[in-house]
Amino acid sequence: MADALSVMPAAVIRNLSDKLYEKRKNAALEVEGIVKNLAMNGDHDKISAVINLLTNEFTYSPQANHRKGGLIGLAAATVGLTSEAAQHLEQIVPPVLNSFSDQDSRVRYYACEALYNIAKVVRGDFIIFFNQIFDALCKLSADSDANVQSAAHLLDRLVKVDIVTESDQFSIEEFIPLLRERMNVLNPYVRQFLVGWITVLDSVPDIDMLGFLPDFLDGLFNMLSDSSHEIRQQADSALSEFLQEIKNSPSVDYGRMAEILVQRAASPDEFTRLTAITWINEFVKLGGDQLVPYYADILGAILPCISDKEEKIRVVARETNEELRGIKADPAEGFDVGSILQIARRNYRNAMVAFFFSLSSLSYMGYIKLQLSSQWEATKIEALHWISTLLNRHRVEVLTFLNDIFETLLQPLSDSSDEVVLLVLEVHACIAKDPQHFRQLVVFLMHNFMVDNSLLENRGALIIRRLCVLLDAEKLYREFSTILEVESNLDFASVMVQALNLILLTSSELSELRNLLKKSLVDPAGKDLYVSLYASWCHSPMAIISLCLLAQTYQHTSAIIQSLVEEDINVKFLVQLDKLVRLLETPIFAYLRLQLLEPGRYIWLLKALYGLLMLLPQQSAAFKILRTRLKTVPSYALSSEQIQRTSSGNPYQIIQHLSGGSNISEDGDIHEDEKNLHNGIKFPLRLQQFEQMQHLHRKHAKSQAQARSNFASSASQKEVDRQEEPTRPPPSEMSRPPSRSSRRAPLGQLQL
């Protein structure tokens, strides 16, 4: 202190704390001259004493003007030291940095000014305080005073451009932790400050910012959703530059960055999602084997974006998905089949949840606009494509996870999109190539049809027809028949058989199956299929009649019709009969109608058709259609004697005359050996089988009717009791035995 006072005139010390800036400035110039002379004489002890005086008596003073004078004095002392300032920086810089947090904004301003002047003098030697200076500048960039911000900006530019970029002592390894700590700050001024540093340092050839990109990449992506357009633009510009560097760099840490991009791809901000998915797209193209362990996570980011509301995102996501699916990775390389399956399964389920959630919040007009296609349809389709791809490439591995995904694969069968349903059927067909999985598929399908009537009604035909194409139609129908034959739920069995029968009769995909059934009497394969279907088709009278007409077992058809009893002919039966009559007029049954040209040969066909006609109400359209068809049966096939005997032209009389005296077992072949005729089919046993099944159905219908009647009676009795309850006599009256006059005689007797 004494040494400092000996070289510092009292007037200088007094003017340094003056409230007028000009006096403080002049005093600082005096300090500069004093220090310069001391430096020339090499008297560094006195220089240290002067610096201590400026620090302790001025910069740490409770008086603001003293602190201002101390800061300007320290800057002046540094200027006076010139090239020798480096050895005194440990004394000069800390009090200036401390002033950055001063409560007085003018003091903070002078601190910025002082450090600026100090930095200009010492240059590269200044770098030893870089961490503290960076921290201080980061705080000052968000200062509440505009003048302080402006001063801090000038200082920041000097440190970045003229000191750090030119210094060979700057440590990027020490800087990155400072940067990473501040990247998630929300203040817009701080964000601009940080992006500025990242951009400048990345432009320095000797500094490898790309190697540290994973440390601050998430922060840059976070800035893309900033409310300030300028900050978003700066962050996007920095990211674009880094992406270009990645394309040109032979060595990049894709893994760590992929994890960040996956998270950002789910950002609620549209621009952030687009940028993230664009980066993922480039990574998939460039990353190669490095990304194999991250495929599941990447796929989890891509699939939701395929259904994004923004078209640009959808386009990039679809392209990325195709690129990813085109890479043939091996489980031995870290490709996790189970994880990929789980991602595909989860995204399908999430898409369904999002779809139904959107439905629940829609108005009627919104619902119409949605048209049940859902914006998530694309995600569901791609998720199913992935399961299909994995099945084709890694079948053994996928099947080990079958129990986890099978239930999820059944849900799309009721999807509103035909494309989704068809695609999931392809997946099921691929799985069902193995016999045990084939059986499992049919069992699960049957169960789903049973518990969800709408699925069978709305999607049953599409599902079964498509599976018949993808799998063996005959094998599929045989499996359905085997299960239905022992089905205990008779109502469901009947409905299911009717559905299968209608598909069999009308579907173009089952034309070969129909052709095989037409040969049941002459072809062992046709006969075997006919017998296989027969047992389950017995659940529905109209289904079995249709099957027999298709198989051309007309005599047996007639026998079945004759075996029907009153309970069998109900409204449901007549509705099905109406459908069958109309089907008889379609091209599928053209062969049958052509057989009517030979009534003498196909006598049982005529009898069967007349049997159906007799079951129809005369005023129904089906009755008129069938009667019109039967009237067209030609009479020229009869002999002249038969024509005279049946001059009325009534075809039923023709049947009576043709059948008289003829030994006909089945249509088409008269006087043939019965074994050859029937191709080994034991029709009496089949008829007995049909009658037994119908007996079970009749018993079931009666038990249901009885149950409904009992329930109705119980409900009625409760209602009567409830109505009569207020009119009951008091308990004392009720406890008395009834008088002789009030006793009623037994039913049917007079009362005495």
Side-chain angles (χ1 to χ4, degrees), residues 572-606:
K572 292 181 179 180
F573 175 87
L574 293 175
V575 170
Q576 295 169 40
L577 179 53
D578 183 280
K579 291 180 181 179
L580 175 60
V581 169
R582 295 176 190 276
L583 280 173
L584 292 176
E585 297 297 316
T586 63
I588 292 172
F589 282 102
Y591 72 93
L592 183 146
R593 298 195 300 275
L594 290 173
Q595 288 172 350
L596 293 175
L597 294 173
E598 302 179 76
R601 183 179 182 186
Y602 295 100
I603 184 66
W604 290 112
L605 170 59
L606 275 173

Side-chain angles (χ1 to χ4, degrees), residues 101-157:
S101 58
D102 198 283
Q103 294 181 352
D104 192 320
S105 63
R106 295 304 297 167
V107 174
R108 296 197 301 274
Y109 175 84
Y110 283 115
C112 291
E113 185 181 71
L115 197 60
Y116 182 89
N117 291 324
I118 294 168
K120 287 186 68 175
V121 173
V122 298
R123 293 287 179 174
D125 295 324
F126 193 64
I127 206 73
I128 62 172
F129 296 99
F130 175 77
N131 287 358
Q132 298 96 308
I133 294 168
F134 179 82
D135 181 62
L137 288 173
C138 186
K139 294 174 181 176
L140 290 175
S141 64
D143 198 278
S144 58
D145 189 279
N147 291 325
V148 176
Q149 280 191 21
S150 179
H153 178 69
L154 290 173
L155 175 60
D156 175 54
R157 186 165 61 182

Side-chain angles (χ1 to χ4, degrees), residues 25-157:
K25 182 178 179 181
N26 290 331
L29 291 174
E30 292 287 339
V31 172
E32 179 184 340
I34 293 169
V35 172
K36 185 179 292 186
N37 289 330
L38 292 172
M40 289 175 63
N41 295 327
D43 197 347
H44 286 281
D45 290 337
K46 289 185 177 180
I47 293 172
S48 295
V50 170
I51 294 171
N52 285 333
L53 173 67
L54 293 171
T55 300
N56 296 324
E57 299 299 323
F58 287 87
T59 60
Y60 292 139
S61 170
Q63 300 296 322
N65 288 330
H66 280 67
R67 297 197 296 275
K68 296 173 187 176
L71 290 168
I72 196 171
L74 288 172
T78 306
V79 174
L81 284 167
T82 59
S83 61
E84 298 182 31
Q87 59 185 302
H88 294 283
L89 284 179
E90 293 286 352
Q91 290 178 276
I92 296 171
V93 174
V96 178
L97 291 174
N98 182 67
S99 299
F100 281 148
S101 58
D102 198 283
Q103 294 181 352
D104 192 320
S105 63
R106 295 304 297 167
V107 174
R108 296 197 301 274
Y109 175 84
Y110 283 115
C112 291
E113 185 181 71
L115 197 60
Y116 182 89
N117 291 324
I118 294 168
K120 287 186 68 175
V121 173
V122 298
R123 293 287 179 174
D125 295 324
F126 193 64
I127 206 73
I128 62 172
F129 296 99
F130 175 77
N131 287 358
Q132 298 96 308
I133 294 168
F134 179 82
D135 181 62
L137 288 173
C138 186
K139 294 174 181 176
L140 290 175
S141 64
D143 198 278
S144 58
D145 189 279
N147 291 325
V148 176
Q149 280 191 21
S150 179
H153 178 69
L154 290 173
L155 175 60
D156 175 54
R157 186 165 61 182

